[in-house]
Amino acid sequence: MNPTKEFRDYMISQGAALVGIGDLTTVPSSDYPVGIAVAIPLPKHVIKDLQLAPTREYYKLYTTLNDKLNAIVTAGEKYLTGRGYQAYAQTTDRITVDSDNRSPLSHKTVATRAGLGWIGKNCLLVTPQYGSAVRISSLLTDAPLTCDAPVTRSQCGACHACVRYCPAHALKNTLWRSGMPREDIVSVSACYKKQREIMRKSTGIDTDLCGKCFAVCTYTKQYLKQKQ
């Protein structure tokens, strides 16, 4: 069997809904030549609720999905190291972020390099299949896997639903291209401040979760219309 297909099928068997493999050789922050991005979608009923306000269910689901992603990429790491390759799963307990909430090599960077989607006007990954209603993780390796074509430009076009409905008015209606600074797309401080405010008001929980910008995304709504 083709080793790349075999690995991809294995990751899907572990629970990944989307799997992409990207060439990271031109990404300065990567110590590995290959990145694997995985994604799992949020349940549709949770997304529909988030169109109104953040919920306690979303708060609990956020941790549950992160745990699931950690298990998937850890399984991928073991799969590859068991075959003699180096691999590093970017699990939540391994990733460090600075005071601006930046990580050295973000899941979004790996995902766009791996062809899963592009960065939307909401500064989140947008996938053709699920819109922005996904949680993502990544795995780095030196295994000689066949890479997918990267996505280097936005496919949001003239749509600005996320910009229009952002409670913080933090989004700048910018069409992303690879390498663009995050600040060209979103005012991060305004976003986080408003997230905490509306999360406290809606649920009583003091944390920075919102979800409005991906719940109203046109591509997300296309996913919501799909039959189960």
Side-chain angles (χ1 to χ4, degrees):
M1 181 182 285
N2 181 299
T4 300
K5 184 179 185 307
E6 186 176 347
F7 174 72
R8 196 187 300 270
D9 289 347
Y10 176 75
M11 296 298 278
I12 292 173
S13 77
Q14 296 303 300
L18 300 176
V19 181
I21 302 171
D23 181 352
L24 301 182
T25 56
T26 61
V27 179
S29 57
S30 178
D31 295 326
Y32 294 83
V34 175
I36 298 101
V38 298
I40 50 180
L42 275 70
K44 292 181 179 180
H45 73 278
V46 173
I47 302 167
K48 291 176 181 177
D49 290 343
L50 289 174
Q51 292 176 1
L52 300 175
T55 63
R56 283 182 170 268
E57 184 176 12
Y58 175 49
Y59 172 74
K60 294 177 181 177
L61 180 67
Y62 194 88
T63 300
T64 300
L65 293 183
N66 281 349
D67 289 344
K68 182 177 179 179
L69 286 164
N70 285 342
I72 292 169
V73 294
T74 298
E77 178 186 282
K78 291 179 179 178
Y79 178 100
L80 293 169
T81 56
R83 285 159 176 76
Y85 302 110
Q86 294 184 20
Y88 185 81
Q90 294 211 111
T91 53
T92 53
D93 61 329
R94 288 179 172 178
I95 289 182
T96 58
V97 295
D98 61 19
S99 58
D100 290 326
N101 205 38
R102 296 178 189 273
S103 59
L105 179 60
S106 72
H107 298 318
K108 289 189 290 186
T109 295
V110 179
T112 57
R113 295 297 305 170
L116 287 195
W118 63 95
I119 304 306
K121 293 180 180 179
N122 53 14
C123 207
L124 299 174
L125 182 74
V126 183
T127 67
Q129 300 89 339
Y130 305 109
S132 296
V134 291
R135 294 293 299 156
I136 59 175
S137 188
S138 59
L139 165 67
L140 312 175
T141 185
D142 63 355
L145 301 172
T146 302
C147 294
D148 299 301
V151 180
T152 60
R153 289 188 176 274
S154 173
Q155 297 178 32
C156 292
C159 178
H160 60 283
C162 60
V163 178
R164 186 166 69 252
Y165 290 108
C166 174
H169 306 291
L171 303 176
K172 302 179 181 180
N173 201 30
T174 305
L175 286 171
W176 167 84
R177 63 182 184 279
S178 182
M180 175 179 286
R182 181 181 63 179
E183 289 75 17
D184 288 356
I185 301 174
V186 60
S187 171
V188 176
S189 59
C191 174
Y192 283 137
K193 180 180 179 181
K194 193 65 175 182
Q195 284 187 78
R196 301 190 82 94
E197 177 186 320
I198 63 175
M199 189 69 180
R200 285 195 300 266
K201 182 178 180 180
S202 178
T203 69
I205 301 170
D206 185 16
T207 192
D208 52 349
L209 285 178
C210 175
K212 172 82 79 169
C213 64
F214 71 75
V216 301
C217 169
T218 297
Y219 284 90
T220 300
K221 288 187 174 181
Q222 290 174 3
Y223 159 54
L224 294 177
K225 293 177 182 178
Q226 296 172 12
K227 293 182 179 180
Q228 298 287 356

